[in-house]
Amino acid sequence: MCHLPEKKPQQSLSEYSGEIYKHGCEALKDKNYDLSLIRGDRPEMLMIDAASVYQKVPIFHIEVGVISGATDEYVRHAITKLSHIHFPDSESAKQRIIRMGEDPKNVYMFGSLDTEFAMDVEKYPILPKPYVVVLYHPQPND
């Protein structure tokens, strides 16, 4: 497991991404990992993806092929092209990945982890009642 540094308050995303890449390469070096499991579309994940490529670690990407219209979309598609096995969360995302040139036998319909969790949230006894779910997805320039 790779413990990534926290982004410093005045640190640019470019500087932080460089740190993530460096830590990712160190964490993967000489370890012979079976795979890197990437979830998401943030620049931090792109850096781990790139480190995995250079360390020759196969990459599995979860929740791939989504279209958002945000900057994350470019990062997500770059991760797709660097990844070996793809797990989209919808049939339309699966078809999009295949249209991007990925081999259909490396694309497996997976579903959404967030949706699965939300559907089962009542089963978790640690949540007090009533409860509120708050979601936050920062933009890459945060």
Side-chain angles (χ1 to χ4, degrees), residues 29-40:
K29 187 170 70 173
D30 303 323
K31 300 283 193 314
N32 297 319
Y33 287 111
D34 293 325
L35 62 97
S36 283
L37 182 63
I38 304 291
R39 179 179 184 227

Side-chain angles (χ1 to χ4, degrees), residues 3 10 12 16 18-19 24 27 35 50 53 59-61 69 79 84 95 108 112 126-127 140 142:
H3 295 282
Q10 299 304 317
S12 74
Y16 182 56
E19 274 190 56
L35 62 97
V53 166
I59 302 159
F60 288 35
H61 188 196
I79 292 171
H84 301 88
Q95 294 308 315
Y108 300 91
S112 168
I126 60 170
L127 296 173
D142 286 352

Side-chain angles (χ1 to χ4, degrees), residues 6-17 19 140-142:
E6 289 187 32
K7 184 175 178 288
K8 297 171 188 83
Q10 299 304 317
Q11 191 175 29
S12 74
L13 188 56
S14 300
E15 293 168 329
Y16 182 56
S17 294
E19 274 190 56
N141 57 355
D142 286 352

